[in-house]
């Protein structure tokens, strides 16, 4: 397959931090939107971008809680957005477009922990796919006029090395049968990569580039914290005292290290002429299709062909548009739960 997955030799490493990656970059007069930018990796991304002069809007279901977490950080505001609520997404996009401000960076960062039981929204959409991919897809399309107005914008999807574990389950997209939490999560993370690939193909001529970034494993985020201490210890992510194990070469990173690749994708001049790629350790990932058994103690996060396949990327875009256009999709979903 013809592809762009060739490391640049950026000079950064798995241990590089967001502050190191953004050093010397001036983001004054740049506008940023980040989902979930008030917690975990997202908070460190917000700090780095705002610290470089960007005006950052973080969006979440609870903007009051976000404002408390963001206290003391300049150039930041919080707004409400629920990725499981199509009306909420449309309302936020409309509010933003009314300001007339261009959007230079959109960082689709928020993610939902894997529920042990199959969980759907009122549309019947599996909650991980609906949140991690479909909500961000709708948000990005809604903000397209602002991205165009920037005359040079980037969309960064935060994905995971779990993309290696699963392609898209085209005939069982919402896991109506054979639900398995890890596979549902992996599918949603593959969708994040495919979305970036197709976005770049469609919008690069308008000056909008797409990227998918694997931040590494950061213990303490809401995403992996839901696994519980016993599972985290079994995976070698925390020690016997419950403290995070930090070993960047084996993906175990601090929040500042985890944020680095996201910030690299959002700001690095090395990426000025390339998009539609998957990044890890603040560089472009190599393509690796060698079959490897999943080993949480020695994870492999390189990108695999099914995650960047251009035909799958086009098919996912079309399917996502269909899902958003269905009559049920425009309703307020309300609470989620197992069917």
């Amino acid at each position: 397959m013809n592809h762009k997955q060739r490391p640049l030799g950026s000079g950064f490493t798995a241990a590089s931090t967001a502050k190191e990656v953004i050093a010397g970059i001036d983001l004054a007069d740049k506008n940023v939107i980040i989902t979930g930018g008030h917690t975990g990796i997202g908070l460190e991304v917000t700090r780095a971008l705002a610290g470089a002069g960007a005006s950052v809007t973080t969006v979440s279901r609870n903007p009051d809680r976000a404002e408390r977490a963001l206290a003391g950080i300049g150039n930041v505001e919080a707004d409400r957005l629920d990725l499981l609520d199509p009306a909420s997404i449309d309302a936020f996009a409309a509010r933003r477009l009314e300001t007339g401000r261009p959007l230079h960076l959109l960082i689709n960062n928020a993610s939902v922990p894997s529920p042990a039981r199959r969980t759907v929204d009122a549309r019947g959409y599996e909650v991980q796919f609906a949140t991690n991919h479909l909500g961000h897809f709708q948000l990005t399309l809604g903000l397209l006029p602002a991205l165009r107005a920037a005359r040079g914008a980037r969309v960064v999807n935060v994905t995971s090395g779990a993309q290696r574990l699963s392609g898209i389950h085209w005939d069982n997209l919402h896991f109506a049968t054979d639900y398995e939490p890890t596979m549902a999560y992996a599918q949603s993370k593959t969708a994040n990569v495919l979305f970036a690939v197709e976005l770049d193909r469609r919008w690069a001529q308008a000056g909008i580039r797409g990227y998918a970034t694997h931040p590494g494993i950061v213990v303490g985020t809401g995403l992996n914290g839901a696994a519980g201490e016993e599972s985290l210890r079994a995976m070698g992510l925390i020690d016997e005292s419950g403290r995070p194990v930090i070993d960047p070469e084996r993906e175990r990173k601090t929040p500042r290290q985890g944020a680095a690749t996201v910030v690299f994708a959002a700001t690095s001049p090395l990426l000025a002429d390339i998009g539609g790629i998957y990044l890890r350790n603040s560089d472009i990932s190599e393509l690796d299709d060698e079959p490897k058994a999943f080993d949480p103690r020695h994870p492999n996060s390189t990108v695999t062909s099914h995650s960047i396949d251009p035909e799958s990327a086009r098919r996912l875009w079309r399917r996502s548009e269909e899902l958003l256009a269905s009559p049920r999709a425009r309703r307020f979903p309300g609470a989620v739960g197992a069917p």
Side-chain angles (χ1 to χ4, degrees):
M1 178 176 64
N2 186 25
H3 65 88
K4 298 177 281 186
Q5 293 296 150
R6 298 176 182 86
L8 296 165
S10 68
F12 298 112
T13 70
S16 295
T17 66
K19 184 177 180 180
E20 292 167 343
V21 164
I22 206 170
I25 295 176
D26 183 6
L27 297 181
D29 300 323
K30 302 297 184 184
N31 299 314
V32 179
I33 293 173
I34 176 172
T35 63
H38 66 290
T39 184
I41 294 168
L43 178 57
E44 296 302 330
V45 173
T46 296
R47 283 197 178 109
L49 299 178
S55 297
V56 182
T57 301
T58 69
V59 291
S60 67
R61 288 178 297 177
N62 190 332
D64 291 337
R65 183 173 63 186
E67 285 181 352
R68 291 193 293 271
L70 297 165
I73 305 176
N75 303 328
V76 180
E77 63 181 4
D79 204 338
R80 185 183 187 280
L81 185 144
D82 184 345
L83 288 167
L84 279 178
D85 178 355
S88 174
I89 297 171
D90 285 346
F92 171 76
R95 288 196 303 274
R96 184 60 187 232
L97 295 181
E98 284 175 1
T99 69
R101 287 184 290 168
L103 178 59
H104 303 88
L105 297 174
L106 172 60
I107 301 177
N108 293 321
N109 166 72
S111 191
V112 65
S114 300
R117 296 180 60 204
R118 178 177 180 264
T119 305
V120 299
D121 64 20
R123 301 170 292 187
Y125 299 167
E126 193 276 320
V127 71
Q128 295 183 85
F129 184 84
T131 303
N132 302 349
H133 167 63
L134 200 59
H136 284 125
F137 180 83
Q138 181 184 345
L139 174 64
T140 305
L141 267 60
L143 293 172
L144 178 57
L147 291 165
R148 287 183 181 275
R151 301 185 182 278
R154 297 186 185 187
V155 177
V156 180
N157 297 336
V158 180
T159 183
S160 165
Q163 49 78 30
R164 292 187 61 86
L165 303 179
S166 175
I168 304 299
H169 296 241
W170 300 109
D171 297 325
N172 192 23
L173 195 62
H174 301 294
F175 288 86
T177 59
D178 302 319
Y179 174 74
E180 205 286 319
T182 299
M183 288 300 104
Y185 174 73
Q187 173 183 250
S188 74
K189 296 289 98 178
T190 296
N192 293 153
V193 188
L194 292 171
F195 176 26
V197 169
E198 179 64 2
L199 181 152
D200 197 79
R201 186 188 73 84
R202 287 172 177 252
W203 295 357
Q205 287 189 334
I208 305 167
R209 307 308 302 256
Y211 306 91
T213 64
H214 168 60
I217 303 169
V218 179
V219 174
T221 65
L223 187 62
N224 59 50
E229 279 199 20
E230 185 176 342
S231 293
L232 293 176
R233 191 171 288 112
M235 290 186 287
L237 298 178
I238 61 174
D239 62 21
E240 290 304 315
S241 300
R243 292 173 298 193
V245 173
I246 305 301
D247 185 355
E249 293 299 330
R250 291 195 302 133
E251 302 286 349
R252 292 142 173 81
K253 299 186 179 185
T254 68
R256 292 178 180 178
Q257 291 168 338
T261 303
V262 182
V263 172
F264 179 83
T267 66
S268 176
L270 296 175
L271 300 175
D273 298 319
I274 187 170
I277 48 175
Y278 169 96
L279 302 104
R280 60 189 287 271
N281 296 334
S282 300
D283 205 336
I284 300 175
S285 168
E286 64 272 32
L287 180 67
D288 178 11
D289 284 329
E290 181 181 347
K292 296 181 177 71
F294 175 64
D295 182 354
R297 288 185 170 272
H298 301 278
N300 179 15
S301 63
T302 50
V303 75
T304 191
S305 289
H306 69 239
S307 295
I308 58 169
D309 175 63
E311 180 51 42
S312 294
R314 288 191 286 271
R315 183 178 181 184
L316 178 65
W317 189 289
R318 293 192 298 267
R319 185 71 181 117
S320 299
E321 288 180 324
E322 291 168 358
L323 290 170
L324 291 180
S326 76
R328 295 181 69 194
R330 308 314 300 174
R331 287 195 246 150
F332 176 78
V336 298

